[in-house]
Structures are given as C-alpha cells and as structure tokens.
Amino acid sequence: MWHTGLVDFDQVYERFRLPVWRLARRLTKSEEEALDTTQEIFLRVWRGLPGFRGDAKLSTWVFQIAWNYLRAHRRKMGRSLQIIGEDMNAAQDLVESAADTGPDPERRARATELLDRVEEALETLPEHYRVVVWLRDGEDLSYQEIADALDVPIGTVRSRLARARVALKELVES
Amino acid sequence: MDETLSEILSRHLDGDLDADEELALSARLEAEPALIEELEVMRRIRRSVAALASSEQVPRELDSLVEPLLRGKPEPVVLRPWARWLATAAAVILGATVVIEVNRRNPGPSIESMAKLRNEGHPAEPTERFTLAPLPTSSLPVEQQPLGASDRLLASPAPEVELDDPLPLEVLGPLEEGEIPTLEDQGTKGIPLDEVMAKSSAVAEDKDAKKGESLRPAAPGEKGDLDSAPQREDRGGTREAGRSAALQSWEAAPPMGRAQLFVFINGKSAWREFTPSAICKAGRYSVRIVVTGGAVREARPVGGAASAAPSQRLCAAGLVLDLEIDAVADGEYPAEIVVEPRGKQQSPGR
C-alpha cells in the first residue's frame, strides 16, 4: 500500500467514485470532460490522502478537493461550468416511482416533464447556486458539510440554498 | 416571496428549523395556504434533484482510468500520433520561473530578482536531474483506453533541449510561527538575497562532498545537511531554545520517504518520485525546480486548502509539489530539483 494515512485510497475511491462523478458531471460540459475531471480529482485525493489527518470529515475533504478542482478547471477552460442532460430515462423512472403509485399515464407524464424541467433549470442555474443545490439535494450533505466543502460560512449556505431553490422553482415554472 | 421567508421554507425542507421556528412557520402556513403550495413545489423539485443524482452511474471507463492509482504503480503511456507531433514542437519552449510561497506569511523573491541573481553569478546548483515519468494510467492497450487525462500524459522521447540557462522555480517552505527567528530578532532588516544564495551554494557544495550519504533519508536524530544551514547562525538565546525544541521534535520523528513531484501540463498530469538531498528538518527550504521545455506557470503545495495542515509541515523529505505548465506538448522533459535551506524574507517579495 502506498499510502499510510488514516484511510486507504481504494476505500475512498469506492465510497466517493459515484458522488464525485455526479458532481463533475453536473458541473462540466460533457461526459468526456466529466471523466477527465473526475480522474484528476481522484489523483488529487490520492496525492493528498497521506496527509489527511481526519481533521475534517472525509466527505467534506473529498468534496472540497472536487469543488476546488472543478472551479480551477472552469477557469482554465475560460468559461462557466455547464451541466449535461443525458441518461434521463433512469432518473425519470425514479421520479415516476416516487411520485406515481399507479399506472396513471398523466401523472407519469407530469413527473417526467418535471424532471426534464428540473434538469434544464439546473443547467441554467448559476454555478454557485447549482453546487449548493446539488450537494444538499443530490448528495445529501449537511449544511455544515457544504459550508466546509465550499469554504463558506454556514449562514451563506443557508441563504444561498434558499435563493437557489427559489431560482430553480422559477426556472421550472417558467 | 421575501428572502427571509424563502430561507425559512428552504430550511424547513431540510429539517433545519428549531422548534420555535417550526411553530411559527406552521402558524404562517395556516394563515397563508398559498405557501403550502409553494412548499410542495419546492419539495417536488428537491425530490427531482435527488432522483437525478440517484440515476447517475459511474462509467466503466473511470475505473480503468483510476485503476493504476489503486494499484499504486505507474505504467508507461504510449502517446497518440498527434501527441508525438506536439512533443516535438514543445522543444522550442524554454523554462520560466514561478515563485510561490508555501508559507504565505513569507513572500519569496520575485522572478526578476532571481533572474538578477543568476546574472550576478549565483547559478543554481542542481543536485539531481531526472525525467518526468507518465502518470499512472490504464493497463488497457492504448487503442482501448477511453479519452481521459491520463492517456494524454507525458511520455515519448525527450525533446532535444539544452539545460544551459533555465530559469529556476523557487518554492519557499513553511514553518510554524515562532520556529524561525524573525529578521528583526536578528537585528537586521533583511538578509541580502545574493548573500543567502551564496551561502546556499556553499551548502550545495558541502552536499556534493557528502553525496551518497546525503541522498538517503536521515535516520531519526541524525544530523543532516540542513544543520549547516546559514540561516541558523547568529540567533538569540530564547529563539534558539525554541528552535532547538522544534528541531528536537522533528528529529524525534522526522518525516521519511521519497518526495514526489507532480506536474500538470496543459491539464495533463505526470509525476515523479525523487529523493531530496536535504534531510527533513524544521526550516525553510528553497526548492528550485527547472523543467526545460515548458513555461512553468504555477507551482503550489499539493492539496491547497484541503490539506493545508500537512502542507504547513512540509519538509524536504516529504516534499510534494504541483506544477502547472502551460503551452507545452506531451513529452518527457529533463528537469532538476534542488532543495536547500533558506533564510527568511530575503527579498522584497513578488
């Protein structure tokens, strides 16, 4: 084993491969770019892991690395991060199963439409709103974890999340 | 909807309200039924975001890209034809200097001052030359590898580039506050940079004399190269006592092992292990990294804010650096790394 820190890399990768991938995919333009950025994020995790002393939660630390890298990547690419909207079918199924308990085509259609709109609205949401919404609602991080990961006060997370949700709602309804 | 109310609703969705706030919101919802609908829409959107997240699956390509990190062994990368062509083109680009400070309290010398020093006859004394190796990448045949960062890494024959006049990259290592006497303590407004460099060169010569011995990590308690660091001279008694205590602490359990250099070129990565000739001790280090064939744009300790704590204990033996190099094509680049002890605030800064 190369690393002698508190946590082995393979454990971290196993636990965070999906969340990091999801965040990268939400914040980058294409699946290929998300793949590249996710790999680079895990390279940074790999390098930083020997120095990880558990002062922060592992999830916070990983998301902090991911967010910092994705922001830097955006700056390097000279544009705002965007998200992509693919693989909708699986998501639609999930929403339908959550929102619809019966074979009501109309309800299924509404659920699918809502998901489409949310996906589109997320795309147009400013990045600093998108990331808090995603970390809270997509990754189920606590306010404190989000604050640590983004390096902002927890009050900022609360207010930013509220504004983001209002903006998202307005976009969905528009 | 005003911001206060939207924040209350948002926090209610997350269960972040305390009992009193929940009570107040319940009363308001009773009085304003329209708010219930607002809340329900927000809840549905929230579920939709969660559903989007749940529907994501990691592509199989990611596992193959990260697999070398899991195995912990780098593998050679075969460059694609376009990358080989670019590697040849990279030979025309010369190294540049970037100065960063690991300890942000202590600005390092400027690029201009370093260039001036070199012109004044204080050239860098390289202790090791090496070639950057590719980042670990997939074991898949190159034609089967997905497009990703690691399949565009440095590899292939090194460009024919002379190392005669590269500009150095300098990284000033950190110390915890109080471990090093300030310049005021030393009764001077500053140590002339050329004097420090001259002394450092002397240290480098001393290192050469002990070459072989100094290229291995120090055993706990062993006296190392940095004991002869010029900046450790002429210290006040109190400061010296604190300094000695810090050194003893480090000597008791000095971080061991090889150092690593990570290089990011045009967003692509390469890395290289190396053994710094300076033994890990508390102290400030001048790390000159010269990568010929690329313009070094940025260098920083690994991890940034995420691993600020370990960075604050950076020592030569545990040195891990990022370099970002722009306008450079794929290829192997001769480089050299010199780790030397350094004084504090020798220059007016960047």
Side-chain angles (χ1 to χ4, degrees), chain B residues 62-110:
Chain B
L62 179 64
D63 290 343
S64 64
L65 288 170
V66 176
E67 186 209 358
L69 296 180
L70 295 166
R71 285 186 288 109
K73 288 183 179 178
E75 293 192 357
V77 173
V78 179
L79 279 184
R80 296 176 181 182
W82 62 267
R84 291 180 187 279
W85 183 85
L86 286 175
T88 305
V92 299
I93 306 170
L94 294 177
T97 301
V98 170
V99 178
I100 70 162
E101 52 183 359
V102 177
N103 182 345
R104 296 181 180 178
R105 297 188 301 269
N106 305 309
S110 65

mmCIF file of all heavy atoms in Angstrom, chain B residues 62-110:
data_model
loop_
_atom_site.group_PDB
_atom_site.id
_atom_site.type_symbol
_atom_site.label_atom_id
_atom_site.label_comp_id
_atom_site.label_asym_id
_atom_site.label_seq_id
_atom_site.Cartn_x
_atom_site.Cartn_y
_atom_site.Cartn_z
ATOM 1 N N LEU B 62 -14.106 5.128 -16.025
ATOM 2 C CA LEU B 62 -13.469 5.792 -14.884
ATOM 3 C C LEU B 62 -12.648 4.784 -14.075
ATOM 4 O O LEU B 62 -11.527 5.076 -13.660
ATOM 5 C CB LEU B 62 -14.522 6.457 -13.995
ATOM 6 C CG LEU B 62 -13.962 7.161 -12.760
ATOM 7 C CD1 LEU B 62 -13.073 8.327 -13.165
ATOM 8 C CD2 LEU B 62 -15.069 7.647 -11.851
ATOM 9 N N ASP B 63 -13.219 3.625 -13.859
ATOM 10 C CA ASP B 63 -12.494 2.623 -13.079
ATOM 11 C C ASP B 63 -11.171 2.252 -13.740
ATOM 12 O O ASP B 63 -10.158 2.084 -13.066
ATOM 13 C CB ASP B 63 -13.352 1.372 -12.901
ATOM 14 C CG ASP B 63 -14.533 1.625 -11.969
ATOM 15 O OD1 ASP B 63 -14.495 2.633 -11.241
ATOM 16 O OD2 ASP B 63 -15.475 0.821 -11.980
ATOM 17 N N SER B 64 -11.194 2.141 -15.042
ATOM 18 C CA SER B 64 -9.956 1.764 -15.718
ATOM 19 C C SER B 64 -8.941 2.914 -15.663
ATOM 20 O O SER B 64 -7.745 2.692 -15.624
ATOM 21 C CB SER B 64 -10.232 1.365 -17.164
ATOM 22 O OG SER B 64 -10.719 2.462 -17.893
ATOM 23 N N LEU B 65 -9.448 4.143 -15.626
ATOM 24 C CA LEU B 65 -8.542 5.286 -15.535
ATOM 25 C C LEU B 65 -7.921 5.410 -14.151
ATOM 26 O O LEU B 65 -6.765 5.800 -14.008
ATOM 27 C CB LEU B 65 -9.290 6.579 -15.879
ATOM 28 C CG LEU B 65 -9.660 6.775 -17.348
ATOM 29 C CD1 LEU B 65 -10.598 7.959 -17.502
ATOM 30 C CD2 LEU B 65 -8.424 6.985 -18.186
ATOM 31 N N VAL B 66 -8.696 5.095 -13.159
ATOM 32 C CA VAL B 66 -8.216 5.269 -11.783
ATOM 33 C C VAL B 66 -7.498 4.019 -11.285
ATOM 34 O O VAL B 66 -6.743 4.080 -10.309
ATOM 35 C CB VAL B 66 -9.410 5.639 -10.862
ATOM 36 C CG1 VAL B 66 -8.996 5.739 -9.410
ATOM 37 C CG2 VAL B 66 -9.999 6.974 -11.309
ATOM 38 N N GLU B 67 -7.696 2.917 -11.971
ATOM 39 C CA GLU B 67 -7.135 1.641 -11.525
ATOM 40 C C GLU B 67 -5.638 1.712 -11.186
ATOM 41 O O GLU B 67 -5.204 1.159 -10.182
ATOM 42 C CB GLU B 67 -7.373 0.576 -12.592
ATOM 43 C CG GLU B 67 -6.940 -0.813 -12.150
ATOM 44 C CD GLU B 67 -6.515 -1.662 -13.341
ATOM 45 O OE1 GLU B 67 -6.608 -1.178 -14.473
ATOM 46 O OE2 GLU B 67 -6.058 -2.787 -13.111
ATOM 47 N N PRO B 68 -4.826 2.399 -12.000
ATOM 48 C CA PRO B 68 -3.404 2.475 -11.644
ATOM 49 C C PRO B 68 -3.160 3.124 -10.290
ATOM 50 O O PRO B 68 -2.207 2.760 -9.601
ATOM 51 C CB PRO B 68 -2.805 3.317 -12.775
ATOM 52 C CG PRO B 68 -3.749 3.147 -13.910
ATOM 53 C CD PRO B 68 -5.089 3.036 -13.295
ATOM 54 N N LEU B 69 -4.000 4.058 -9.932
ATOM 55 C CA LEU B 69 -3.840 4.663 -8.615
ATOM 56 C C LEU B 69 -4.151 3.649 -7.530
ATOM 57 O O LEU B 69 -3.533 3.635 -6.472
ATOM 58 C CB LEU B 69 -4.771 5.874 -8.467
ATOM 59 C CG LEU B 69 -4.514 7.052 -9.399
ATOM 60 C CD1 LEU B 69 -5.523 8.163 -9.127
ATOM 61 C CD2 LEU B 69 -3.109 7.580 -9.229
ATOM 62 N N LEU B 70 -5.116 2.791 -7.811
ATOM 63 C CA LEU B 70 -5.468 1.764 -6.837
ATOM 64 C C LEU B 70 -4.327 0.760 -6.688
ATOM 65 O O LEU B 70 -4.048 0.269 -5.606
ATOM 66 C CB LEU B 70 -6.747 1.041 -7.266
ATOM 67 C CG LEU B 70 -8.010 1.909 -7.281
ATOM 68 C CD1 LEU B 70 -9.132 1.215 -8.034
ATOM 69 C CD2 LEU B 70 -8.450 2.227 -5.855
ATOM 70 N N ARG B 71 -3.695 0.469 -7.819
ATOM 71 C CA ARG B 71 -2.575 -0.463 -7.762
ATOM 72 C C ARG B 71 -1.312 0.226 -7.267
ATOM 73 O O ARG B 71 -0.390 -0.422 -6.812
ATOM 74 C CB ARG B 71 -2.329 -1.069 -9.146
ATOM 75 C CG ARG B 71 -3.368 -2.105 -9.531
ATOM 76 C CD ARG B 71 -3.026 -2.803 -10.826
ATOM 77 N NE ARG B 71 -3.203 -1.933 -11.973
ATOM 78 C CZ ARG B 71 -2.214 -1.445 -12.684
ATOM 79 N NH1 ARG B 71 -0.973 -1.697 -12.366
ATOM 80 N NH2 ARG B 71 -2.458 -0.668 -13.720
ATOM 81 N N GLY B 72 -1.309 1.549 -7.416
ATOM 82 C CA GLY B 72 -0.179 2.303 -6.901
ATOM 83 C C GLY B 72 1.064 2.222 -7.727
ATOM 84 O O GLY B 72 2.157 2.489 -7.257
ATOM 85 N N LYS B 73 0.964 1.794 -8.974
ATOM 86 C CA LYS B 73 2.147 1.689 -9.816
ATOM 87 C C LYS B 73 1.929 2.412 -11.131
ATOM 88 O O LYS B 73 0.921 2.217 -11.790
ATOM 89 C CB LYS B 73 2.462 0.220 -10.113
ATOM 90 C CG LYS B 73 3.004 -0.532 -8.919
ATOM 91 C CD LYS B 73 3.352 -1.947 -9.316
ATOM 92 C CE LYS B 73 3.919 -2.701 -8.120
ATOM 93 N NZ LYS B 73 4.217 -4.101 -8.469
ATOM 94 N N PRO B 74 2.880 3.229 -11.498
ATOM 95 C CA PRO B 74 2.764 3.889 -12.786
ATOM 96 C C PRO B 74 3.054 2.934 -13.923
ATOM 97 O O PRO B 74 3.804 1.982 -13.760
ATOM 98 C CB PRO B 74 3.837 4.979 -12.722
ATOM 99 C CG PRO B 74 4.847 4.440 -11.775
ATOM 100 C CD PRO B 74 4.099 3.590 -10.795
ATOM 101 N N GLU B 75 2.434 3.178 -15.020
ATOM 102 C CA GLU B 75 2.699 2.373 -16.202
ATOM 103 C C GLU B 75 3.021 3.289 -17.359
ATOM 104 O O GLU B 75 2.548 4.413 -17.430
ATOM 105 C CB GLU B 75 1.475 1.523 -16.547
ATOM 106 C CG GLU B 75 1.211 0.458 -15.494
ATOM 107 C CD GLU B 75 0.203 -0.544 -15.997
ATOM 108 O OE1 GLU B 75 -0.305 -0.362 -17.108
ATOM 109 O OE2 GLU B 75 -0.053 -1.509 -15.268
ATOM 110 N N PRO B 76 3.815 2.808 -18.257
ATOM 111 C CA PRO B 76 4.167 3.660 -19.387
ATOM 112 C C PRO B 76 2.962 3.955 -20.260
ATOM 113 O O PRO B 76 2.053 3.148 -20.385
ATOM 114 C CB PRO B 76 5.187 2.824 -20.156
ATOM 115 C CG PRO B 76 4.929 1.424 -19.727
ATOM 116 C CD PRO B 76 4.438 1.491 -18.329
ATOM 117 N N VAL B 77 3.000 5.114 -20.823
ATOM 118 C CA VAL B 77 1.917 5.539 -21.701
ATOM 119 C C VAL B 77 2.466 5.695 -23.111
ATOM 120 O O VAL B 77 3.522 6.262 -23.317
ATOM 121 C CB VAL B 77 1.336 6.883 -21.231
ATOM 122 C CG1 VAL B 77 0.330 7.399 -22.229
ATOM 123 C CG2 VAL B 77 0.711 6.718 -19.869
ATOM 124 N N VAL B 78 1.752 5.160 -24.022
ATOM 125 C CA VAL B 78 2.141 5.350 -25.417
ATOM 126 C C VAL B 78 1.346 6.522 -25.952
ATOM 127 O O VAL B 78 0.126 6.545 -25.867
ATOM 128 C CB VAL B 78 1.844 4.085 -26.242
ATOM 129 C CG1 VAL B 78 2.225 4.316 -27.694
ATOM 130 C CG2 VAL B 78 2.598 2.901 -25.663
ATOM 131 N N LEU B 79 2.049 7.473 -26.467
ATOM 132 C CA LEU B 79 1.373 8.673 -26.959
ATOM 133 C C LEU B 79 0.708 8.428 -28.290
ATOM 134 O O LEU B 79 1.177 7.644 -29.099
ATOM 135 C CB LEU B 79 2.372 9.811 -27.111
ATOM 136 C CG LEU B 79 2.731 10.572 -25.856
ATOM 137 C CD1 LEU B 79 3.648 11.723 -26.225
ATOM 138 C CD2 LEU B 79 1.505 11.100 -25.159
ATOM 139 N N ARG B 80 -0.357 9.122 -28.497
ATOM 140 C CA ARG B 80 -1.008 9.079 -29.796
ATOM 141 C C ARG B 80 -0.190 9.902 -30.789
ATOM 142 O O ARG B 80 0.579 10.776 -30.383
ATOM 143 C CB ARG B 80 -2.418 9.619 -29.666
ATOM 144 C CG ARG B 80 -3.235 8.706 -28.749
ATOM 145 C CD ARG B 80 -4.595 9.215 -28.495
ATOM 146 N NE ARG B 80 -5.282 8.277 -27.601
ATOM 147 C CZ ARG B 80 -6.533 8.414 -27.210
ATOM 148 N NH1 ARG B 80 -7.239 9.408 -27.644
ATOM 149 N NH2 ARG B 80 -7.081 7.541 -26.413
ATOM 150 N N PRO B 81 -0.410 9.664 -32.053
ATOM 151 C CA PRO B 81 0.419 10.330 -33.057
ATOM 152 C C PRO B 81 0.418 11.844 -32.939
ATOM 153 O O PRO B 81 1.460 12.486 -33.056
ATOM 154 C CB PRO B 81 -0.205 9.865 -34.369
ATOM 155 C CG PRO B 81 -0.803 8.546 -34.045
ATOM 156 C CD PRO B 81 -1.286 8.646 -32.633
ATOM 157 N N TRP B 82 -0.756 12.426 -32.703
ATOM 158 C CA TRP B 82 -0.804 13.879 -32.618
ATOM 159 C C TRP B 82 0.018 14.372 -31.438
ATOM 160 O O TRP B 82 0.637 15.432 -31.490
ATOM 161 C CB TRP B 82 -2.237 14.365 -32.509
ATOM 162 C CG TRP B 82 -2.973 13.887 -31.288
ATOM 163 C CD1 TRP B 82 -3.764 12.786 -31.184
ATOM 164 C CD2 TRP B 82 -2.988 14.486 -29.985
ATOM 165 N NE1 TRP B 82 -4.259 12.664 -29.903
ATOM 166 C CE2 TRP B 82 -3.801 13.697 -29.151
ATOM 167 C CE3 TRP B 82 -2.379 15.620 -29.434
ATOM 168 C CZ2 TRP B 82 -4.029 13.981 -27.823
ATOM 169 C CZ3 TRP B 82 -2.613 15.906 -28.103
ATOM 170 C CH2 TRP B 82 -3.431 15.092 -27.310
ATOM 171 N N ALA B 83 0.025 13.587 -30.373
ATOM 172 C CA ALA B 83 0.790 13.998 -29.201
ATOM 173 C C ALA B 83 2.287 13.918 -29.470
ATOM 174 O O ALA B 83 3.073 14.733 -28.985
ATOM 175 C CB ALA B 83 0.419 13.121 -28.009
ATOM 176 N N ARG B 84 2.697 12.920 -30.244
ATOM 177 C CA ARG B 84 4.114 12.828 -30.589
ATOM 178 C C ARG B 84 4.549 14.051 -31.382
ATOM 179 O O ARG B 84 5.618 14.601 -31.188
ATOM 180 C CB ARG B 84 4.369 11.560 -31.415
ATOM 181 C CG ARG B 84 4.208 10.295 -30.621
ATOM 182 C CD ARG B 84 4.480 9.086 -31.519
ATOM 183 N NE ARG B 84 4.182 7.855 -30.847
ATOM 184 C CZ ARG B 84 5.013 7.272 -29.979
ATOM 185 N NH1 ARG B 84 6.174 7.814 -29.718
ATOM 186 N NH2 ARG B 84 4.674 6.149 -29.383
ATOM 187 N N TRP B 85 3.661 14.459 -32.278
ATOM 188 C CA TRP B 85 3.976 15.630 -33.079
ATOM 189 C C TRP B 85 4.111 16.854 -32.184
ATOM 190 O O TRP B 85 5.034 17.655 -32.316
ATOM 191 C CB TRP B 85 2.880 15.830 -34.121
ATOM 192 C CG TRP B 85 3.142 16.973 -35.036
ATOM 193 C CD1 TRP B 85 3.888 16.963 -36.174
ATOM 194 C CD2 TRP B 85 2.677 18.317 -34.871
ATOM 195 N NE1 TRP B 85 3.912 18.212 -36.733
ATOM 196 C CE2 TRP B 85 3.171 19.067 -35.954
ATOM 197 C CE3 TRP B 85 1.887 18.961 -33.915
ATOM 198 C CZ2 TRP B 85 2.907 20.418 -36.111
ATOM 199 C CZ3 TRP B 85 1.621 20.305 -34.075
ATOM 200 C CH2 TRP B 85 2.128 21.014 -35.168
ATOM 201 N N LEU B 86 3.204 16.961 -31.241
ATOM 202 C CA LEU B 86 3.255 18.110 -30.338
ATOM 203 C C LEU B 86 4.491 18.062 -29.460
ATOM 204 O O LEU B 86 5.068 19.090 -29.118
ATOM 205 C CB LEU B 86 1.993 18.137 -29.478
ATOM 206 C CG LEU B 86 0.727 18.589 -30.191
ATOM 207 C CD1 LEU B 86 -0.476 18.452 -29.267
ATOM 208 C CD2 LEU B 86 0.854 20.027 -30.647
ATOM 209 N N ALA B 87 4.898 16.857 -29.100
ATOM 210 C CA ALA B 87 6.080 16.734 -28.255
ATOM 211 C C ALA B 87 7.299 17.315 -28.943
ATOM 212 O O ALA B 87 8.152 17.950 -28.311
ATOM 213 C CB ALA B 87 6.319 15.260 -27.921
ATOM 214 N N THR B 88 7.375 17.088 -30.219
ATOM 215 C CA THR B 88 8.500 17.660 -30.965
ATOM 216 C C THR B 88 8.419 19.184 -30.950
ATOM 217 O O THR B 88 9.415 19.880 -30.748
ATOM 218 C CB THR B 88 8.463 17.147 -32.413
ATOM 219 O OG1 THR B 88 8.449 15.722 -32.383
ATOM 220 C CG2 THR B 88 9.690 17.623 -33.175
ATOM 221 N N ALA B 89 7.204 19.681 -31.121
ATOM 222 C CA ALA B 89 7.036 21.131 -31.148
ATOM 223 C C ALA B 89 7.377 21.762 -29.805
ATOM 224 O O ALA B 89 7.801 22.921 -29.737
ATOM 225 C CB ALA B 89 5.602 21.472 -31.521
ATOM 226 N N ALA B 90 7.268 20.982 -28.759
ATOM 227 C CA ALA B 90 7.498 21.529 -27.415
ATOM 228 C C ALA B 90 8.941 21.896 -27.168
ATOM 229 O O ALA B 90 9.260 22.644 -26.257
ATOM 230 C CB ALA B 90 7.055 20.514 -26.364
ATOM 231 N N ALA B 91 9.820 21.345 -27.961
ATOM 232 C CA ALA B 91 11.236 21.561 -27.715
ATOM 233 C C ALA B 91 11.651 23.016 -27.827
ATOM 234 O O ALA B 91 12.708 23.407 -27.343
ATOM 235 C CB ALA B 91 12.055 20.716 -28.691
ATOM 236 N N VAL B 92 10.837 23.827 -28.454
ATOM 237 C CA VAL B 92 11.228 25.221 -28.662
ATOM 238 C C VAL B 92 10.886 26.092 -27.453
ATOM 239 O O VAL B 92 11.245 27.263 -27.405
ATOM 240 C CB VAL B 92 10.548 25.805 -29.915
ATOM 241 C CG1 VAL B 92 10.961 25.033 -31.141
ATOM 242 C CG2 VAL B 92 9.030 25.795 -29.750
ATOM 243 N N ILE B 93 10.179 25.525 -26.532
ATOM 244 C CA ILE B 93 9.720 26.347 -25.405
ATOM 245 C C ILE B 93 10.712 26.223 -24.246
ATOM 246 O O ILE B 93 11.066 25.124 -23.858
ATOM 247 C CB ILE B 93 8.326 25.909 -24.946
ATOM 248 C CG1 ILE B 93 7.386 25.930 -26.141
ATOM 249 C CG2 ILE B 93 7.822 26.813 -23.846
ATOM 250 C CD1 ILE B 93 6.058 25.278 -25.851
ATOM 251 N N LEU B 94 11.116 27.316 -23.715
ATOM 252 C CA LEU B 94 12.072 27.283 -22.611
ATOM 253 C C LEU B 94 11.364 27.436 -21.272
ATOM 254 O O LEU B 94 10.230 27.905 -21.181
ATOM 255 C CB LEU B 94 13.105 28.393 -22.776
ATOM 256 C CG LEU B 94 14.023 28.232 -23.993
ATOM 257 C CD1 LEU B 94 14.954 29.429 -24.080
ATOM 258 C CD2 LEU B 94 14.811 26.942 -23.893
ATOM 259 N N GLY B 95 12.092 27.042 -20.204
ATOM 260 C CA GLY B 95 11.529 27.133 -18.868
ATOM 261 C C GLY B 95 11.374 28.560 -18.403
ATOM 262 O O GLY B 95 12.043 29.458 -18.888
ATOM 263 N N ALA B 96 10.487 28.750 -17.511
ATOM 264 C CA ALA B 96 10.274 30.070 -16.923
ATOM 265 C C ALA B 96 10.254 29.926 -15.415
ATOM 266 O O ALA B 96 10.379 28.828 -14.886
ATOM 267 C CB ALA B 96 8.975 30.666 -17.424
ATOM 268 N N THR B 97 10.125 31.002 -14.765
ATOM 269 C CA THR B 97 10.208 30.972 -13.308
ATOM 270 C C THR B 97 8.874 31.333 -12.686
ATOM 271 O O THR B 97 8.188 32.201 -13.158
ATOM 272 C CB THR B 97 11.243 31.998 -12.823
ATOM 273 O OG1 THR B 97 12.474 31.638 -13.419
ATOM 274 C CG2 THR B 97 11.368 32.003 -11.317
ATOM 275 N N VAL B 98 8.584 30.618 -11.695
ATOM 276 C CA VAL B 98 7.423 30.992 -10.904
ATOM 277 C C VAL B 98 7.845 30.965 -9.456
ATOM 278 O O VAL B 98 8.566 30.083 -9.036
ATOM 279 C CB VAL B 98 6.259 30.013 -11.115
ATOM 280 C CG1 VAL B 98 5.156 30.283 -10.103
ATOM 281 C CG2 VAL B 98 5.704 30.162 -12.511
ATOM 282 N N VAL B 99 7.454 31.928 -8.743
ATOM 283 C CA VAL B 99 7.787 31.949 -7.331
ATOM 284 C C VAL B 99 6.505 31.802 -6.541
ATOM 285 O O VAL B 99 5.549 32.503 -6.789
ATOM 286 C CB VAL B 99 8.469 33.272 -6.941
ATOM 287 C CG1 VAL B 99 8.761 33.304 -5.455
ATOM 288 C CG2 VAL B 99 9.742 33.433 -7.744
ATOM 289 N N ILE B 100 6.484 30.868 -5.684
ATOM 290 C CA ILE B 100 5.318 30.788 -4.810
ATOM 291 C C ILE B 100 5.806 30.733 -3.377
ATOM 292 O O ILE B 100 6.980 30.549 -3.123
ATOM 293 C CB ILE B 100 4.449 29.544 -5.081
ATOM 294 C CG1 ILE B 100 5.189 28.293 -4.621
ATOM 295 C CG2 ILE B 100 4.056 29.443 -6.511
ATOM 296 C CD1 ILE B 100 4.305 27.119 -4.446
ATOM 297 N N GLU B 101 4.937 30.867 -2.513
ATOM 298 C CA GLU B 101 5.318 30.700 -1.132
ATOM 299 C C GLU B 101 4.394 29.667 -0.522
ATOM 300 O O GLU B 101 3.189 29.723 -0.675
ATOM 301 C CB GLU B 101 5.192 32.023 -0.380
ATOM 302 C CG GLU B 101 3.827 32.667 -0.550
ATOM 303 C CD GLU B 101 3.733 34.005 0.129
ATOM 304 O OE1 GLU B 101 4.730 34.392 0.723
ATOM 305 O OE2 GLU B 101 2.677 34.602 0.069
ATOM 306 N N VAL B 102 5.003 28.734 0.128
ATOM 307 C CA VAL B 102 4.190 27.739 0.806
ATOM 308 C C VAL B 102 3.667 28.352 2.091
ATOM 309 O O VAL B 102 2.532 28.189 2.476
ATOM 310 C CB VAL B 102 5.020 26.486 1.092
ATOM 311 C CG1 VAL B 102 4.195 25.480 1.869
ATOM 312 C CG2 VAL B 102 5.513 25.894 -0.211
ATOM 313 N N ASN B 103 4.552 29.086 2.739
ATOM 314 C CA ASN B 103 4.129 29.831 3.906
ATOM 315 C C ASN B 103 3.735 31.207 3.435
ATOM 316 O O ASN B 103 4.565 32.013 3.055
ATOM 317 C CB ASN B 103 5.278 29.937 4.906
ATOM 318 C CG ASN B 103 4.856 30.660 6.151
ATOM 319 O OD1 ASN B 103 3.822 31.318 6.173
ATOM 320 N ND2 ASN B 103 5.639 30.532 7.178
ATOM 321 N N ARG B 104 2.458 31.487 3.433
ATOM 322 C CA ARG B 104 2.007 32.730 2.812
ATOM 323 C C ARG B 104 2.443 33.960 3.585
ATOM 324 O O ARG B 104 2.351 35.068 3.104
ATOM 325 C CB ARG B 104 0.488 32.700 2.675
ATOM 326 C CG ARG B 104 0.062 31.599 1.755
ATOM 327 C CD ARG B 104 -1.418 31.570 1.592
ATOM 328 N NE ARG B 104 -1.759 30.479 0.682
ATOM 329 C CZ ARG B 104 -2.975 30.172 0.357
ATOM 330 N NH1 ARG B 104 -3.973 30.845 0.820
ATOM 331 N NH2 ARG B 104 -3.218 29.165 -0.458
ATOM 332 N N ARG B 105 2.904 33.754 4.792
ATOM 333 C CA ARG B 105 3.346 34.922 5.547
ATOM 334 C C ARG B 105 4.668 35.451 5.010
ATOM 335 O O ARG B 105 5.040 36.566 5.288
ATOM 336 C CB ARG B 105 3.523 34.554 7.026
ATOM 337 C CG ARG B 105 2.258 34.125 7.721
ATOM 338 C CD ARG B 105 2.508 33.980 9.207
ATOM 339 N NE ARG B 105 3.543 33.010 9.476
ATOM 340 C CZ ARG B 105 3.310 31.735 9.672
ATOM 341 N NH1 ARG B 105 2.095 31.281 9.630
ATOM 342 N NH2 ARG B 105 4.292 30.906 9.925
ATOM 343 N N ASN B 106 5.372 34.622 4.296
ATOM 344 C CA ASN B 106 6.718 34.994 3.907
ATOM 345 C C ASN B 106 6.872 35.027 2.402
ATOM 346 O O ASN B 106 7.114 34.005 1.783
ATOM 347 C CB ASN B 106 7.701 33.979 4.492
ATOM 348 C CG ASN B 106 7.534 33.867 5.983
ATOM 349 O OD1 ASN B 106 7.532 34.848 6.693
ATOM 350 N ND2 ASN B 106 7.342 32.654 6.458
ATOM 351 N N PRO B 107 6.696 36.174 1.831
ATOM 352 C CA PRO B 107 6.810 36.251 0.382
ATOM 353 C C PRO B 107 8.213 35.902 -0.076
ATOM 354 O O PRO B 107 9.195 36.212 0.581
ATOM 355 C CB PRO B 107 6.471 37.709 0.083
ATOM 356 C CG PRO B 107 6.733 38.431 1.353
ATOM 357 C CD PRO B 107 6.436 37.477 2.449
ATOM 358 N N GLY B 108 8.287 35.273 -1.179
ATOM 359 C CA GLY B 108 9.572 34.869 -1.719
ATOM 360 C C GLY B 108 10.109 35.890 -2.694
ATOM 361 O O GLY B 108 9.502 36.922 -2.947
ATOM 362 N N PRO B 109 11.254 35.606 -3.223
ATOM 363 C CA PRO B 109 11.852 36.539 -4.168
ATOM 364 C C PRO B 109 11.088 36.555 -5.474
ATOM 365 O O PRO B 109 10.440 35.580 -5.846
ATOM 366 C CB PRO B 109 13.256 35.966 -4.361
ATOM 367 C CG PRO B 109 13.106 34.525 -4.054
ATOM 368 C CD PRO B 109 12.073 34.431 -2.990
ATOM 369 N N SER B 110 11.184 37.657 -6.136
ATOM 370 C CA SER B 110 10.463 37.792 -7.388
ATOM 371 C C SER B 110 11.208 37.095 -8.514
ATOM 372 O O SER B 110 12.389 36.761 -8.403
ATOM 373 C CB SER B 110 10.293 39.270 -7.725
ATOM 374 O OG SER B 110 11.566 39.824 -7.963
#
